[in-house]
Amino acid sequence: MNGHTLGECTKSILPVRDALEVLNGKWKLPIIVSLMFGNKRFSQIAREVPGITDKMLSKELRDLECNELVKRKVYDSIPVVVEYSLTDYGHSLKVVIEVLRAWGMKHRERMMGEVTV
Amino acid sequence: MNGHTLGECTKSILPVRDALEVLNGKWKLPIIVSLMFGNKRFSQIAREVPGITDKMLSKELRDLECNELVKRKVYDSIPVVVEYSLTDYGHSLKVVIEVLRAWGMKHRERMMGEVTV
DNA sequence: CCGCATCCAGTTCGATACTG
DNA sequence: CAGTATCGAACTGGATGCGG
Protein backbone atom coordinates (compact mmCIF):
# COMPACT_ATOMS: atom_id res chain seq x y z
CA MET A 1 0.00 0.00 0.00
CA ASN A 2 2.94 2.31 -0.43
CA GLY A 3 2.43 2.99 -4.08
CA HIS A 4 2.55 6.66 -3.27
CA THR A 5 5.22 8.72 -1.63
CA LEU A 6 4.35 11.31 0.91
CA GLY A 7 6.28 13.74 -1.21
CA GLU A 8 3.65 13.40 -3.90
CA CYS A 9 0.90 13.95 -1.38
CA THR A 10 2.63 17.01 -0.09
CA LYS A 11 2.86 18.41 -3.56
CA SER A 12 -0.73 17.64 -4.33
CA ILE A 13 -1.94 19.71 -1.41
CA LEU A 14 -0.05 22.83 -2.38
CA PRO A 15 -2.84 24.11 -4.62
CA VAL A 16 -5.31 23.42 -1.84
CA ARG A 17 -3.21 25.60 0.42
CA ASP A 18 -3.25 28.31 -2.20
CA ALA A 19 -6.99 28.25 -2.35
CA LEU A 20 -7.29 28.29 1.40
CA GLU A 21 -4.92 31.20 1.71
CA VAL A 22 -7.01 33.24 -0.66
CA LEU A 23 -10.01 32.85 1.63
CA ASN A 24 -8.02 32.94 4.81
CA GLY A 25 -8.13 35.46 7.61
CA LYS A 26 -11.03 37.10 9.31
CA TRP A 27 -11.98 39.52 6.61
CA LYS A 28 -11.40 38.27 3.08
CA LEU A 29 -14.54 36.22 2.97
CA PRO A 30 -16.97 38.93 4.12
CA ILE A 31 -15.31 41.39 1.78
CA ILE A 32 -15.65 39.06 -1.18
CA VAL A 33 -19.24 38.27 -0.35
CA SER A 34 -20.01 41.93 0.02
CA LEU A 35 -18.55 42.62 -3.40
CA MET A 36 -20.49 39.76 -4.91
CA PHE A 37 -23.58 41.90 -4.48
CA GLY A 38 -22.15 44.75 -6.46
CA ASN A 39 -19.38 47.29 -6.72
CA LYS A 40 -18.61 49.21 -3.60
CA ARG A 41 -16.59 52.09 -2.35
CA PHE A 42 -14.10 51.83 0.48
CA SER A 43 -16.27 53.24 3.20
CA GLN A 44 -19.25 51.35 1.97
CA ILE A 45 -17.42 48.06 2.39
CA ALA A 46 -16.22 49.23 5.76
CA ARG A 47 -19.82 49.78 6.77
CA GLU A 48 -20.95 46.45 5.43
CA VAL A 49 -18.24 44.47 7.14
CA PRO A 50 -18.89 45.30 10.77
CA GLY A 51 -15.87 45.42 12.99
CA ILE A 52 -13.22 45.81 10.33
CA THR A 53 -10.77 48.65 10.72
CA ASP A 54 -9.59 50.86 7.91
CA LYS A 55 -6.17 49.35 8.21
CA MET A 56 -7.42 45.82 7.80
CA LEU A 57 -9.76 46.70 4.98
CA SER A 58 -6.98 48.47 3.17
CA LYS A 59 -4.62 45.55 3.60
CA GLU A 60 -7.12 42.89 2.63
CA LEU A 61 -8.24 44.78 -0.44
CA ARG A 62 -4.63 45.05 -1.53
CA ASP A 63 -4.19 41.31 -1.01
CA LEU A 64 -7.27 40.55 -3.02
CA GLU A 65 -6.16 42.92 -5.72
CA CYS A 66 -2.78 41.20 -5.89
CA ASN A 67 -4.58 37.93 -6.42
CA GLU A 68 -6.60 39.51 -9.21
CA LEU A 69 -9.82 38.83 -7.40
CA VAL A 70 -10.70 42.46 -6.88
CA LYS A 71 -10.39 45.38 -9.22
CA ARG A 72 -9.71 48.88 -8.00
CA LYS A 73 -10.89 51.84 -10.00
CA VAL A 74 -10.01 55.40 -9.09
CA TYR A 75 -12.21 58.26 -10.17
CA ASP A 76 -10.39 61.54 -10.43
CA SER A 77 -12.97 63.58 -8.65
CA ILE A 78 -12.62 65.76 -5.61
CA PRO A 79 -12.66 64.20 -3.18
CA VAL A 80 -11.28 61.14 -4.81
CA VAL A 81 -13.63 58.20 -5.21
CA VAL A 82 -12.39 54.64 -5.39
CA GLU A 83 -14.61 51.84 -6.52
CA TYR A 84 -13.89 48.22 -5.82
CA SER A 85 -15.40 45.37 -7.74
CA LEU A 86 -15.00 41.66 -8.05
CA THR A 87 -13.27 40.52 -11.21
CA ASP A 88 -14.70 37.68 -13.25
CA TYR A 89 -12.02 35.61 -11.69
CA GLY A 90 -13.18 36.72 -8.27
CA HIS A 91 -16.67 35.59 -9.12
CA SER A 92 -15.26 32.16 -9.94
CA LEU A 93 -14.77 31.76 -6.21
CA LYS A 94 -18.49 31.50 -5.82
CA VAL A 95 -18.44 27.81 -6.63
CA VAL A 96 -15.73 27.20 -4.08
CA ILE A 97 -17.57 29.15 -1.44
CA GLU A 98 -20.75 27.26 -2.17
CA VAL A 99 -19.06 23.93 -1.68
CA LEU A 100 -17.50 25.10 1.54
CA ARG A 101 -20.83 26.44 2.68
CA ALA A 102 -22.63 23.21 1.90
CA TRP A 103 -20.11 21.14 3.78
CA GLY A 104 -19.97 23.66 6.60
CA MET A 105 -23.72 23.55 7.05
CA LYS A 106 -23.73 19.80 7.32
CA HIS A 107 -20.90 20.12 9.76
CA ARG A 108 -22.77 22.62 11.90
CA GLU A 109 -25.76 20.37 12.07
CA ARG A 110 -23.65 17.40 12.92
CA MET A 111 -21.69 19.19 15.60
CA MET A 112 -24.49 21.03 17.31
CA GLY A 113 -27.63 19.12 16.56
CA GLU A 114 -29.90 22.00 15.65
CA VAL A 115 -28.64 25.03 17.50
CA THR A 116 -30.08 28.31 16.38
CA VAL A 117 -26.90 30.20 15.63
CA MET B 1 -30.47 46.67 -5.07
CA ASN B 2 -30.59 46.49 -1.31
CA GLY B 3 -32.93 43.56 -1.09
CA HIS B 4 -30.46 41.91 1.19
CA THR B 5 -29.11 43.00 4.51
CA LEU B 6 -25.50 42.53 5.34
CA GLY B 7 -26.64 40.73 8.44
CA GLU B 8 -27.97 37.98 6.24
CA CYS B 9 -24.74 37.81 4.29
CA THR B 10 -22.79 37.61 7.49
CA LYS B 11 -24.90 34.73 8.66
CA SER B 12 -24.61 32.94 5.36
CA ILE B 13 -20.84 32.89 5.60
CA LEU B 14 -20.72 31.30 9.02
CA PRO B 15 -20.84 27.76 7.64
CA VAL B 16 -18.10 28.68 5.20
CA ARG B 17 -15.99 29.77 8.12
CA ASP B 18 -16.67 26.49 9.83
CA ALA B 19 -15.48 24.58 6.84
CA LEU B 20 -12.40 26.74 6.51
CA GLU B 21 -11.55 26.30 10.16
CA VAL B 22 -11.66 22.56 9.80
CA LEU B 23 -8.98 22.71 7.11
CA ASN B 24 -7.13 25.63 8.60
CA GLY B 25 -3.67 25.75 10.03
CA LYS B 26 -0.47 24.32 8.74
CA TRP B 27 -1.05 20.70 9.59
CA LYS B 28 -4.66 19.59 9.36
CA LEU B 29 -4.61 19.20 5.64
CA PRO B 30 -1.48 17.03 5.39
CA ILE B 31 -2.72 14.93 8.27
CA ILE B 32 -6.08 14.38 6.63
CA VAL B 33 -4.50 13.57 3.31
CA SER B 34 -2.11 11.18 4.98
CA LEU B 35 -5.00 9.38 6.65
CA MET B 36 -6.90 9.22 3.39
CA PHE B 37 -4.38 6.63 2.30
CA GLY B 38 -5.04 4.40 5.27
CA ASN B 39 -5.00 4.10 9.01
CA LYS B 40 -1.85 5.23 10.71
CA ARG B 41 -0.21 5.27 14.06
CA PHE B 42 0.98 8.43 15.77
CA SER B 43 4.64 8.14 14.91
CA GLN B 44 3.83 7.02 11.41
CA ILE B 45 1.85 10.19 10.81
CA ALA B 46 4.65 12.16 12.38
CA ARG B 47 7.05 10.63 9.86
CA GLU B 48 4.75 11.27 6.94
CA VAL B 49 4.11 14.88 7.78
CA PRO B 50 7.62 16.26 7.71
CA GLY B 51 8.32 19.08 10.08
CA ILE B 52 5.46 18.57 12.46
CA THR B 53 6.25 18.35 16.15
CA ASP B 54 4.65 15.89 18.53
CA LYS B 55 2.86 18.72 20.24
CA MET B 56 1.32 19.96 17.04
CA LEU B 57 0.40 16.51 15.85
CA SER B 58 -1.19 15.73 19.17
CA LYS B 59 -3.16 18.95 19.16
CA GLU B 60 -4.28 18.68 15.57
CA LEU B 61 -5.36 15.09 15.98
CA ARG B 62 -7.44 16.08 18.98
CA ASP B 63 -9.02 18.88 17.00
CA LEU B 64 -9.85 16.54 14.18
CA GLU B 65 -11.21 14.01 16.61
CA CYS B 66 -13.43 16.65 18.20
CA ASN B 67 -14.80 17.40 14.78
CA GLU B 68 -15.46 13.72 14.25
CA LEU B 69 -13.22 13.62 11.25
CA VAL B 70 -10.68 11.31 12.80
CA LYS B 71 -11.19 8.25 14.92
CA ARG B 72 -8.74 7.20 17.58
CA LYS B 73 -8.40 3.60 18.56
CA VAL B 74 -6.22 2.48 21.44
CA TYR B 75 -4.85 -1.02 21.55
CA ASP B 76 -4.11 -2.19 25.06
CA SER B 77 -0.75 -3.60 24.31
CA ILE B 78 2.58 -2.79 25.87
CA PRO B 79 3.73 -0.39 24.83
CA VAL B 80 0.42 1.10 23.94
CA VAL B 81 -0.46 1.38 20.28
CA VAL B 82 -2.81 4.04 19.01
CA GLU B 83 -4.29 3.90 15.57
CA TYR B 84 -5.83 6.86 13.84
CA SER B 85 -8.21 6.62 10.96
CA LEU B 86 -10.44 8.91 8.96
CA THR B 87 -14.12 8.53 9.71
CA ASP B 88 -16.62 8.27 6.89
CA TYR B 89 -17.40 11.84 7.66
CA GLY B 90 -13.73 12.67 7.34
CA HIS B 91 -13.70 11.10 3.92
CA SER B 92 -16.56 13.39 2.94
CA LEU B 93 -14.01 16.18 2.98
CA LYS B 94 -12.47 14.74 -0.12
CA VAL B 95 -14.97 16.53 -2.33
CA VAL B 96 -14.24 19.81 -0.63
CA ILE B 97 -10.52 19.32 -0.96
CA GLU B 98 -10.89 18.41 -4.60
CA VAL B 99 -12.77 21.62 -5.34
CA LEU B 100 -10.19 23.66 -3.48
CA ARG B 101 -7.42 21.88 -5.31
CA ALA B 102 -9.01 22.49 -8.69
CA TRP B 103 -9.45 26.17 -8.02
CA GLY B 104 -6.03 26.42 -6.43
CA MET B 105 -4.38 24.89 -9.47
CA LYS B 106 -6.02 27.36 -11.78
CA HIS B 107 -4.95 30.08 -9.42
CA ARG B 108 -1.34 28.89 -9.41
CA GLU B 109 -1.25 28.89 -13.16
CA ARG B 110 -2.83 32.28 -13.33
CA MET B 111 -0.52 33.82 -10.76
CA MET B 112 2.76 32.33 -11.89
CA GLY B 113 2.37 31.38 -15.49
CA GLU B 114 3.93 27.95 -15.43
CA VAL B 115 6.39 27.79 -12.60
CA THR B 116 7.66 24.35 -11.73
CA VAL B 117 6.79 24.25 -8.06
C1' DC C 1 5.46 4.34 21.80
C1' DC C 2 2.33 8.19 22.58
C1' DG C 3 1.63 12.50 24.19
C1' DC C 4 1.82 16.64 27.47
C1' DA C 5 4.12 20.99 29.74
C1' DT C 6 6.79 24.81 29.40
C1' DC C 7 8.82 28.40 27.32
C1' DC C 8 9.65 31.33 23.29
C1' DA C 9 9.38 33.64 18.49
C1' DG C 10 6.79 35.31 14.59
C1' DT C 11 2.69 36.91 12.74
C1' DT C 12 -1.87 38.60 12.77
C1' DC C 13 -5.13 41.73 14.21
C1' DG C 14 -7.06 45.80 16.76
C1' DA C 15 -7.12 50.79 18.68
C1' DT C 16 -5.99 55.15 17.96
C1' DA C 17 -4.45 58.98 15.67
C1' DC C 18 -3.14 61.30 11.53
C1' DT C 19 -2.68 62.75 6.07
C1' DG C 20 -3.94 64.31 1.06
C1' DC D 1 -13.35 60.09 1.22
C1' DA D 2 -9.65 56.86 1.22
C1' DG D 3 -6.35 55.53 3.25
C1' DT D 4 -1.38 55.31 6.42
C1' DA D 5 1.54 55.12 10.91
C1' DT D 6 2.44 53.40 15.19
C1' DC D 7 1.87 50.64 19.10
C1' DG D 8 0.56 46.71 21.51
C1' DA D 9 -2.37 42.52 22.46
C1' DA D 10 -3.51 37.94 21.15
C1' DC D 11 -2.94 33.90 18.75
C1' DT D 12 -0.26 30.40 16.24
C1' DG D 13 3.30 27.53 15.81
C1' DG D 14 8.23 25.78 17.14
C1' DA D 15 12.04 23.73 20.49
C1' DT D 16 12.97 21.15 24.18
C1' DG D 17 12.29 18.12 27.80
C1' DC D 18 9.38 15.04 30.73
C1' DG D 19 5.88 11.22 31.95
C1' DG D 20 2.78 7.04 31.49
Side-chain angles (χ1 to χ4, degrees):
Chain A
M1 67 136 294
N2 276 337
H4 67 283
T5 70
L6 230 284
E8 286 169 35
C9 301
T10 305
K11 259 188 277 184
S12 84
I13 67 176
L14 283 178
V16 187
R17 283 220 174 299
D18 291 343
L20 286 173
E21 259 167 47
V22 165
L23 279 319
N24 215 353
K26 233 147 228 152
W27 304 115
K28 297 206 181 63
L29 201 51
I31 291 171
I32 289 169
V33 171
S34 164
L35 287 175
M36 274 184 178
F37 287 95
N39 305 355
K40 305 274 168 68
R41 301 215 301 275
F42 188 89
S43 45
Q44 193 173 3
I45 303 173
R47 253 176 280 125
E48 297 196 355
V49 180
I52 197 170
T53 61
D54 287 354
K55 172 191 166 182
M56 280 299 124
L57 182 52
S58 170
K59 177 187 171 297
E60 300 294 49
L61 283 171
R62 247 179 294 129
D63 279 5
L64 294 169
E65 205 192 343
C66 281
N67 283 330
E68 296 176 18
L69 299 166
V70 160
K71 200 171 49 185
R72 192 186 123 111
K73 189 170 175 184
V74 181
Y75 293 90
D76 254 11
S77 50
I78 297 181
V80 66
V81 167
V82 183
E83 184 183 75
Y84 292 92
S85 59
L86 226 53
T87 61
D88 288 346
Y89 186 49
H91 280 286
S92 80
L93 270 175
K94 191 168 186 189
V95 189
V96 179
I97 292 176
E98 273 312 305
V99 172
L100 287 168
R101 205 171 70 87
W103 193 91
M105 280 180 62
K106 285 200 312 177
H107 189 58
R108 292 219 133 195
E109 287 165 18
R110 187 190 184 92
M111 288 297 108
M112 335 200 261
E114 67 301 285
V115 177
T116 339
V117 182
Chain B
M1 67 134 301
N2 277 338
H4 68 284
T5 70
L6 229 283
E8 286 168 36
C9 300
T10 304
K11 259 188 278 186
S12 84
I13 67 176
L14 283 178
V16 186
R17 284 222 174 297
D18 291 342
L20 285 174
E21 259 166 47
V22 167
L23 279 318
N24 216 352
K26 232 147 229 151
W27 304 113
K28 296 206 181 62
L29 201 51
I31 292 171
I32 290 168
V33 171
S34 165
L35 287 175
M36 274 184 178
F37 288 95
N39 305 354
K40 305 274 168 68
R41 300 215 301 275
F42 188 89
S43 45
Q44 192 173 3
I45 303 173
R47 253 176 280 124
E48 296 196 355
V49 180
I52 197 169
T53 62
D54 286 354
K55 171 191 165 183
M56 279 300 125
L57 182 51
S58 170
K59 178 186 172 297
E60 300 294 49
L61 283 172
R62 246 180 297 130
D63 279 5
L64 294 170
E65 205 192 342
C66 281
N67 284 329
E68 296 176 19
L69 300 166
V70 160
K71 199 171 49 186
R72 190 186 125 110
K73 189 171 175 184
V74 181
Y75 293 90
D76 253 12
S77 51
I78 297 181
V80 67
V81 167
V82 184
E83 184 184 75
Y84 293 92
S85 59
L86 226 53
T87 62
D88 288 347
Y89 186 50
H91 280 287
S92 79
L93 269 175
K94 191 167 183 189
V95 188
V96 178
I97 293 176
E98 272 314 304
V99 172
L100 287 169
R101 204 171 70 88
W103 193 90
M105 281 180 60
K106 283 199 313 178
H107 189 58
R108 291 219 134 194
E109 286 165 18
R110 188 191 184 91
M111 287 297 109
M112 336 200 260
E114 68 301 281
V115 177
T116 339
V117 182

